[in-house]
Amino acid sequence: MSYPAWWYLTVRLALAGAIGLALGLIAGAPWAGLAAALAGFVALQSLNLGRLLGWLRADQSEPAPDLSGPWGEMVAMIVRLYRRKQFHKQRLLRLLRELRRSTAAMPDGVVVLNPQAEILWFNRTAARLLGFRGKGDVGLRIDNLIRQPEFVRYLRNRQYSAPVIVRSAIGGERYLSVQIVPYGAGQLLALVRDVTREARLEAMRKDFVANASHELRSPLTVISGYLETLAQEPGIDPTLAGPLQEMRRQAQRMTGIVKDLLELSRLESSDRDAVAQPIDVIALMAHLRQDVLARAEHPAQVQLQVQSSARLLGEEIQIHSAFANLVDNAANYTPATGAVQIRWWTDDKGGHFSVTDTGIGIPPEHIPRLTERFYRVDAGRSRATGGSGLGLAIVKHVLQRHGGQLSIDSQEGRGSTFTCHFPRERLQSQAVEPV
């Protein structure tokens, strides 16, 4: 049976008092004996406390003192806690060493940053790719070492959903993909990967598409001209009228695809931001509405909803191309009894241009891939309407050059809404004179 520590102290204190009182009675001074016994008991406890404190100050590097009673129990508890702490400490150290060894062996670079974007640690691959110099760079802000404007904007905007491609600063035609991953209490993890091969393949693809599109433009112009001449020839066999009409339609479709490819190539070949020219969005909306109503087949209602007189700062040709693609898509996929709404408004976040239709809608699994080149939800329906499959890719690149984003909200069978979001710095009040 075990007893609590206070019970032992009470029994020993009572025993010491009894012995002191008995010796005092024998000596004729009972109270002096009792006081002396109690003083001795307190002195013994103080001595035990002193030995325990001395051992604790030595961080348990010396053998544990041999104490009895509650003091011995306390020493045993401290020893157990210390051994448990040492076990967990060694375990954490082993895990940390294993983590560092595995991170150092990774083919990608890893840089650990604090909330102020200062470097805390990096592996050998990051040092090789980024040109870091070891411990001398620890504590520096990462944008002081990676000074490319693309990365500086990426770090400051805190939009880390996708990586940024930068040119290596240590020489050579090397391209690096850098993506920042937030974790913990505001800390950041920068993952660095060499994408030189992918970048070169992408450049070759862009050059091939641009050159092929440019070379196809002249032959298609000649073919379209001859087909139009043949279709207008009065003595042509009537049985050839249908095939000629289909050939003209396909030639026009190919011409549209080549035109879109050239436009997309021009957008991809330029890394600079779009110029800031004032664009009258209201007039542009009215023009787009007239274009839709001028079609032989068009939705029954094409409405304009203007909620702001602010102008948009950008390149008018590109903005017109992006907005026209959205309006054309809405008109192509909306039945004759449906409606299309074109809306422009501003708020604290910036300017917003949306196109809403009551067409066939888009299944949710297709929405994330709509801005890919030639991606079609319904290939047969898209070809029937004459679409090139490049319109939304052009919209995405135009918005990127203007610092904007495209959002898509659609329900299958009920229609879709495509919204272009522009930052506040891309807006200009109508009352302000153009610079």
Side-chain angles (χ1 to χ4, degrees):
M1 181 176 180
S2 60
Y3 297 94
W6 64 267
W7 189 85
Y8 285 100
L9 285 176
T10 303
V11 171
R12 292 192 177 193
L13 179 59
L15 182 61
I19 294 174
L21 185 61
L23 293 176
L25 288 173
I26 296 174
W31 296 111
L34 178 61
L38 294 178
F41 181 83
V42 172
L44 178 62
Q45 304 306 318
S46 299
L47 178 62
N48 290 336
L49 178 61
R51 293 177 64 186
L52 178 61
L53 290 176
W55 177 62
L56 291 175
R57 289 193 184 100
D59 196 22
Q60 292 86 41
S61 58
E62 298 179 356
D66 185 12
L67 302 176
S68 60
W71 297 104
E73 184 178 350
M74 187 181 301
V75 169
M77 292 176 61
I78 293 174
V79 170
R80 286 196 298 271
L81 290 174
Y82 176 74
R83 289 176 179 174
R84 188 180 303 171
K85 184 192 74 171
Q86 288 295 103
F87 171 78
H88 290 294
K89 181 179 178 181
Q90 293 299 324
R91 183 181 179 185
L92 288 175
L93 286 175
R94 286 195 300 270
L95 290 174
L96 181 60
R97 293 192 189 100
E98 187 66 27
L99 177 62
R100 290 204 169 188
R101 282 194 295 266
S102 61
T103 307
M106 289 177 60
D108 296 340
V110 179
V111 184
V112 179
L113 309 172
N114 64 11
Q116 290 73 41
E118 296 172 344
I119 299 174
L120 300 179
W121 179 84
F122 53 85
N123 64 355
R124 290 191 295 268
T125 306
R128 176 175 57 83
L129 294 176
L130 299 173
F132 291 172
R133 299 167 299 178
K135 294 182 178 180
D137 289 333
V138 174
L140 300 178
R141 283 183 57 91
I142 191 171
D143 51 350
N144 290 338
L145 302 176
I146 307 178
R147 300 183 179 181
Q148 284 78 355
E150 301 88 351
F151 178 77
V152 175
R153 287 195 300 268
Y154 175 75
L155 182 64
R156 293 178 180 175
N157 292 338
R158 297 184 179 275
Q159 299 294 331
Y160 303 142
S161 58
V164 61
I165 306 299
V166 298
R167 189 187 295 267
S168 175
I170 59 177
E173 290 293 327
R174 176 180 289 183
Y175 293 88
L176 304 176
S177 169
V178 183
Q179 181 167 12
I180 294 179
V181 180
Y183 77 99
Q187 290 186 297
L188 305 171
L189 194 69
L191 305 178
V192 187
R193 187 164 60 94
D194 190 341
V195 293
T196 304
R197 183 174 180 273
E198 292 86 343
R200 289 175 178 172
L201 290 175
E202 181 66 13
M204 291 174 60
R205 181 191 64 80
K206 291 179 180 178
D207 291 341
F208 170 77
V209 170
N211 293 334
S213 302
H214 182 76
E215 294 299 327
L216 285 173
R217 185 168 55 178
S218 296
L220 281 174
T221 302
V222 174
I223 292 172
S224 298
Y226 278 115
L227 288 174
E228 185 175 358
T229 301
L230 286 173
Q232 295 175 354
E233 183 67 30
I236 193 170
D237 188 347
T239 58
L240 298 178
L244 283 175
Q245 185 65 25
E246 179 63 19
M247 291 169 66
R248 289 181 62 191
R249 191 179 70 84
Q250 293 298 334
Q252 291 173 357
R253 179 171 175 271
M254 290 181 64
T255 302
I257 293 176
V258 170
K259 179 182 176 182
D260 288 345
L261 282 172
L262 289 173
E263 175 68 18
L264 197 55
S265 298
R266 281 192 293 267
L267 291 171
E268 291 180 337
S269 63
S270 178
D271 295 330
R272 64 179 180 85
D273 292 337
V275 297
Q277 299 174 345
I279 302 172
D280 189 345
V281 180
I282 301 175
L284 178 57
M285 293 167 62
H287 179 71
L288 294 175
R289 179 177 183 272
Q290 291 176 359
D291 289 345
V292 175
L293 294 177
R295 296 182 175 194
E297 298 180 0
H298 59 78
Q301 299 180 21
V302 181
Q303 303 170 344
L304 299 183
Q305 187 174 359
V306 178
Q307 297 174 310
S308 174
S309 61
R311 297 192 176 191
L312 181 63
L313 298 176
E315 296 188 23
E316 185 168 3
I317 295 178
Q318 294 182 11
I319 293 296
H320 182 278
S321 175
F323 289 1
N325 272 298
L326 294 180
V327 174
D328 286 343
N329 282 345
N332 289 337
Y333 294 104
T334 301
T337 57
V340 172
Q341 182 188 80
I342 307 172
R343 182 185 175 200
W344 168 249
W345 77 99
T346 58
D347 55 24
D348 294 339
K349 297 180 180 179
H352 314 276
F353 175 88
S354 70
V355 180
T356 302
D357 63 67
T358 58
I360 60 176
I362 305 167
E365 64 270 17
H366 294 286
I367 292 179
R369 300 189 58 189
L370 285 179
T371 56
E372 296 180 10
R373 292 176 177 227
F374 300 110
Y375 185 80
R376 303 173 187 272
V377 177
D378 184 349
R381 178 71 179 269
S382 299
R383 291 189 177 93
T385 57
S388 66
L390 297 170
L392 291 179
I394 292 175
V395 172
K396 182 186 73 172
H397 282 82
V398 169
L399 293 181
Q400 286 177 348
R401 291 201 60 197
H402 289 78
Q405 294 180 336
L406 176 67
S407 65
I408 304 172
D409 182 17
S410 182
Q411 294 184 8
E412 191 173 6
R414 301 185 62 180
S416 307
T417 298
F418 292 78
T419 307
C420 303
H421 305 280
F422 297 94
R424 294 183 62 183
E425 55 268 22
R426 284 287 176 181
L427 297 180
Q428 181 191 68
S429 174
Q430 192 174 14
V432 179
E433 291 297 328
V435 179

